[in-house]
Amino acid sequence: MKYVEGFVVAVPAANKEAYQKLAAATAPLFKEFGATRIVECWGNDIPDGKLTDFRGAVKAEANEVVVFSWIEYPSKAVRDEANQKMMTDPRMKALGEKMPFDGKRMIFGGFESILDQ
């Protein structure tokens, strides 16, 4: 079964184009490092929750949009190796110098697939 790394981040609405450009630039690198699929989703129906919600999880401000993304890998081992490569690759470092969002509020984690239909 696949291994998935998921991300949720708040992006200023005005930075949508910059975010899309960053995603398009990093996708080939993720694939080079072993990813099989990269999905970026711009929120347009994010309801307020009673206890918690996506906006609260990333402390989204009124002018920000929640982005939900995931990267699929063949296994956790491939994902772990890809993360090591990303941390040392000068191309990733250069792309990361001008992020169109506050990375400190990003939430992320790795997930083992248990159902894929």
Side-chain angles (χ1 to χ4, degrees), residues 21-60:
K21 286 181 181 179
L22 176 66
T26 58
L29 298 177
F30 283 113
K31 289 220 172 176
E32 178 183 323
F33 299 150
T36 56
R37 184 175 180 214
I38 297 102
V39 180
E40 298 279 352
C41 305
W42 191 259
N44 70 357
D45 185 16
I46 312 295
D48 292 334
K50 292 185 181 185
L51 296 178
T52 191
D53 57 36
F54 278 106
R55 294 187 63 77
V58 293
K59 299 187 185 321

Side-chain angles (χ1 to χ4, degrees), residues 48-87:
D48 292 334
K50 292 185 181 185
L51 296 178
T52 191
D53 57 36
F54 278 106
R55 294 187 63 77
V58 293
K59 299 187 185 321
E61 298 173 4
N63 68 332
E64 294 178 320
V65 175
V66 174
V67 174
F68 174 56
S69 312
W70 68 93
I71 303 172
E72 294 178 5
Y73 294 94
S75 67
K76 183 179 185 304
V78 172
R79 189 284 307 250
D80 291 347
E81 186 176 322
N83 281 344
Q84 278 300 116
K85 290 177 183 177
M86 284 184 283
M87 299 301 279

